[in-house]
Amino acid sequence: MSTEPVGGAAIWTPTAHDVGSARLTAFRTDLLARGVVPPTVHDAHTLQRWSVEHPEAFWAEVWRAAGIAADGPGTPEAPWTAVLTDGAVMRPPHQSATGWDGPRWFTDTRLNFAEQLLRRRDDAPALVSWNEHGAQQRISFAELAVRVAQCATALAAQGVGMGDRVAGWLPNLPEAVVVMLAAASLGATWSSCSPDFGTKGVLDRFGQIAPTVLVAADGYWYAGKQIDCVPRLREIVHALPQLRAVWVVPYVDSTLDVASALPGMPHAQRFDTVLAAQAQVREPSFVRLPFDHPLYILYSSGTTGLPKCMVHGAGGTLLQHWKELALHTDVHENDVLFYFTTCGWMMWNWLVSGLAVGATVVLYDGAPLAPDATILWRMAHREQVSVFGTSAKYLAMCEKEGVVPREVAPLPSLRAILSTGSPLAAHSYDYVARAIGERVRLSSISGGTDIVSCFALGDPTGPVYRGELQMRGLGMAVDIFGDDGTPLRGAPGELVCTKPFPSMPVAFWNDPDGALYRAAYFEQIPGVWRHGDWAELTEHDGMIIHGRSDATLNPGGVRIGTAEIYRQVEQIPGVIESLVVEQAHGAAGGTDSRIVLFVRLRDGVALTDEFQRVIRTRIREYTSPHHVPKVIVAVSDIPRTISGKITELAVREVIHGRPVKNIDALANPAALELFRNLPELRR
C-alpha cells in the first residue's frame, strides 16, 4: 500500500513520440506558425493562459480545427457576425423582454449537431455495444447514418420538429444514440434517464419538460438479474398525456408484443417496427439552427428538491466536447473510446461526441463488476480500446478486489485511463501504473452536468502527478477563491470560473426570469460562476479536488474537504467504502460540531476498538489531527444518487432529524434508514 503524498515526482511523463503525435501539439504548432499566439506559448499550460486571455481568438481556432460545417453571414471559414458578444461580465445568458442579455457565442451562425457527428460514412465501426453477456451489436458509420435517417423520418411523421422534446428512458444501447441524433437532426431536444430511475424519479424529470415522444426499453440486466421495466413504463406513459408516440426497444424479450405489454395505448410500437416502416429512407437530412439552439436537457441530482432542468445548446456542447476529446484526451480518428456510464449521466453525452472526431464509441450496459470483476477489462482487450473512462470508485474497487488488468488480458492499444465522478485518490494513480501499465496516462477530469463538460482535464503532452488533475481546461478561466472572494493560492477554496464559456447552459427549463440559473451559480460570489467544488491549485499548475464545498467539514473552524478523509480510509484493508459528515453536537443540538465517519466493512470484519484505532491513526498520520473523526459507525450500505455518487448531504439531514426533500433521487433510498436515530450519535 503506497503512502506517498500527493504530488512529488511525476508518475508518468510523455515520451517525445507522445508529445509529437498529440493533437494538442499539432493545434499549438499551427497557431504558432500562423502567428495567432506568441512564441511564449510553448506548452499546454501557457496555451491555457493565452486561451483565457483571448477567448474570442481561442474559440474561433477550436471552431476551425474541428471543421464545423455551418451557415452564416461571414466567410465559410468564419461564418459568424461575432465570436462573443456581451462577454465582458460573467453572468447567465437570459432572453428578456428587450432582447438577449448576457454572453452569446458565434452569433448568426447556423449548424446542426447531428450533422457533425455523422460526417463519417464508411464501414468502420461507429458503435459497439456490450452487456454482461458480451458483445451485442456493431454498427458502422454508414449504417448509423441510415438508422438515424429512418428514425428522424418516423419522428417527423409524429410532428416532431424544432423545440419539441424527445425523451429516452433507456439502458446504454445504440438505440439511445440513434434517437438522440435523429431528434437533433430535426432540431428537437433530447433528454434521457437510465432505467434504474423509478417512476417518480422519471416523472420528476420528464414531467417538467413534457416530451412529445418517449423511447423506452422493456427491461435490462444488472448484476446477473433481469429487471422488467414494463410495469413502470405503463405508469410513466399514463402520467405523460401529451405523448404522441411511445417506442419500446425489445431488449430483454425479443418476442415482446407491445399491444399486450401496454394495453390501451395505440400510440405504442416496437422500435424495430418503427424503423422497418421507413426502410426506404437511406440518407439523413439536417436542419441548421442557431449556435445556442437547445440540444440537451440534463438534470441536477434532485436530492434537495425537484431536479433542475439544464438546457444545453448544440454549438457550445459540440465545441467543448471536440476540444476535450481531441486536445485534452488526444482521441484520433479510428481510436476506440469507452466510458462506463449510463444514459442518466452527462458522461454519456460526452462519450457519444466521440463520433465527431471519427472514433469508435463503445457502449456498455450492466454492472461494472458482473459477471465478474474483469468484464470491462476483457471487453477493452477484445475491442482494442484506446481510451478507457470510468469512475474513481470503480478503480478503487478494482484495487480492493485485487484485479490486475494487465494479467487479465493484454491491452496494447490502451493509451489513457480517464476518471471522474468523484475525486481520485492518490493511491489509485499507483494502482493504474502498477496493475494496468506504466505507459498508460491517467487523467483525472472534473466538471459537471451543469456545463456538460469539464473545468479540469488531462494534458497528453505533460507529466502526471499523483493525486492531481493535470491542468485547467483550455478556454476555461478557472480559479480558486477564498472566503473573501479573491484568488487563493497554497490552500483549498471555492472552484470558480471568472469568464464566460460556450457550454454554459443556455437556460434552465421553466425559469422565465433566470432566477433559478442565477441562484445556482452566481449569487454567492457576484460576477463569477461558483461551481460548488472545494479545490486547490498545485505548484505544477494542476488541481486537487477535495470534495463538494457544501459538504466540507468545519470542526473547530478548520474547513476540510471530505475527499481528504476518503483517500485514507478507503486504503485500509477491510473497508469497502465510507461516508463522512459533520454533526452538530452538544447541549440542545449545540454550537459545537464533530466529524462522524460511517464505514461499510467487508464480510467478517468487525468495527472493534482496535480497528477504530487503526482508522484514526491512518487519518491522523496522513492528514492532520483536525481530520480525525470523533465517532466511527459501521453501516451495511451507503446511500448514493442514481448516477452513483454518495450523498453526504442526505445523510447529514437524516442524522439531524431533518427531512430529505427528494429521496426518489437516490438509487437506494432505504439505506437512509440505517442512519436514523443511531445511539452512537446521541452520546
Side-chain angles (χ1 to χ4, degrees), residues 483-525:
D483 292 338
D484 61 355
T486 62
L488 177 67
R489 299 294 181 267
E494 292 280 358
L495 189 153
V496 302
C497 192
T498 61
K499 293 183 180 181
F501 51 92
S503 66
M504 293 167 62
V506 297
F508 278 22
W509 195 260
N510 290 332
D511 184 28
D513 62 356
L516 290 175
Y517 197 158
R518 289 191 299 275
Y521 313 111
F522 293 96
E523 287 190 348
Q524 184 157 331
I525 310 176

Side-chain angles (χ1 to χ4, degrees), residues 23 117 120 125-130 137-139 141 172 177 320-341 346-365 376 379-390 413-420 441 443 445 457:
R23 299 186 74 167
L117 269 64
R120 188 171 180 180
L127 300 176
V128 176
S129 70
W130 276 60
Q137 294 188 60
R138 308 180 84 81
I139 302 173
F141 284 94
N172 190 9
V177 180
Q320 277 280 31
H321 287 182
W322 188 93
K323 178 202 75 177
E324 294 182 351
L325 288 158
L327 304 183
H328 285 284
T329 311
D330 200 35
V331 179
H332 296 249
E333 185 172 274
N334 297 319
D335 274 344
V336 181
L337 175 67
F338 167 72
Y339 218 105
F340 179 73
T341 181
M346 54 104 5
M347 292 311 299
W348 180 86
N349 308 77
W350 190 92
L351 170 65
V352 173
S353 289
L355 297 170
V357 296
T360 297
V361 170
V362 178
L363 310 171
Y364 183 85
D365 179 63
L376 295 186
M379 179 203 71
H381 162 69
R382 281 271 304 276
E383 301 301 338
Q384 300 182 52
V385 168
S386 315
V387 176
F388 183 106
T390 186
S413 301
L414 187 63
R415 299 197 313 273
I417 298 282
L418 306 184
S419 170
T420 193
R441 171 173 49 87
S443 290
I445 62 178
L457 305 107

Side-chain angles (χ1 to χ4, degrees), residues 53-362:
E53 292 167 359
H54 304 86
E56 292 95 336
F58 170 73
W59 288 108
E61 291 298 333
V62 173
W63 177 295
R64 182 195 60 78
I68 306 297
D71 300 322
T75 66
E77 296 77 21
W80 49 83
T81 300
V83 173
L84 175 62
T85 59
D86 201 10
V89 177
M90 181 58 153
R91 57 177 176 158
H94 177 58
Q95 185 76 44
S96 69
T98 58
W100 190 275
D101 297 325
R104 293 194 75 185
W105 293 89
F106 296 96
T107 52
D108 301 318
T109 56
R110 300 179 71 83
L111 56 84
N112 188 278
F113 183 84
E115 182 179 5
Q116 295 297 133
L117 269 64
L118 292 172
R119 285 184 297 181
R120 188 171 180 180
R121 299 290 181 84
D122 59 17
D123 292 329
L127 300 176
V128 176
S129 70
W130 276 60
N131 63 18
E132 296 173 6
H133 307 293
Q136 299 297 306
Q137 294 188 60
R138 308 180 84 81
I139 302 173
S140 72
F141 284 94
E143 176 59 23
L144 178 60
V146 171
R147 293 196 193 186
V148 170
Q150 293 168 348
C151 184
T153 302
L155 287 172
Q158 297 295 332
V160 173
M162 290 182 287
D164 286 316
R165 278 78 61 206
V166 176
W169 184 49
L170 289 163
N172 190 9
L173 303 177
E175 287 82 355
V177 180
V178 169
V179 184
M180 180 277 286
L181 290 171
S185 74
L186 298 170
T189 302
W190 170 257
S191 190
S192 57
C193 296
S194 60
D196 51 354
F197 281 54
T199 301
K200 188 174 186 303
V202 174
L203 294 176
D204 281 351
R205 291 158 174 81
F206 294 166
Q208 294 188 69
I209 67 169
T212 299
V213 173
L214 174 67
V215 186
D218 60 342
Y220 63 100
W221 288 275
Y222 194 87
K225 296 179 180 178
Q226 181 177 315
I227 293 123
D228 184 7
C229 289
V230 171
R232 281 178 290 155
L233 179 58
R234 292 191 197 107
E235 296 172 348
I236 291 165
V237 172
H238 279 301
L240 297 174
Q242 78 287 343
L243 288 171
R244 298 176 196 160
V246 178
W247 297 341
V248 184
V249 177
Y251 180 41
V252 298
D253 179 8
S254 61
T255 66
L256 176 73
D257 178 53
V258 172
S260 299
L262 300 175
M265 299 179 188
H267 57 326
Q269 292 179 274
R270 285 175 58 123
F271 183 67
D272 49 2
T273 301
V274 169
L275 293 193
Q278 308 296 337
Q280 77 284 357
V281 179
R282 310 300 294 175
E283 185 66 28
S285 59
F286 306 100
V287 179
R288 290 187 176 176
L289 299 153
F291 183 86
D292 50 14
H293 183 79
L295 169 71
Y296 291 138
I297 298 176
L298 304 181
Y299 305 95
S300 66
S301 62
T303 53
T304 58
L306 273 180
K308 293 185 284 291
C309 307
M310 304 164 191
V311 183
H312 287 288
T317 302
L318 179 63
L319 280 188
Q320 277 280 31
H321 287 182
W322 188 93
K323 178 202 75 177
E324 294 182 351
L325 288 158
L327 304 183
H328 285 284
T329 311
D330 200 35
V331 179
H332 296 249
E333 185 172 274
N334 297 319
D335 274 344
V336 181
L337 175 67
F338 167 72
Y339 218 105
F340 179 73
T341 181
T342 70
C343 294
W345 188 23
M346 54 104 5
M347 292 311 299
W348 180 86
N349 308 77
W350 190 92
L351 170 65
V352 173
S353 289
L355 297 170
V357 296
T360 297
V361 170
V362 178

Side-chain angles (χ1 to χ4, degrees), residues 608-618 620 632:
T608 62
D609 290 344
E610 174 60 21
F611 195 43
Q612 292 192 50
R613 186 189 65 77
V614 169
I615 294 171
R616 290 189 171 97
T617 298
R618 170 83 194 191
R620 181 180 291 107
I632 304 177

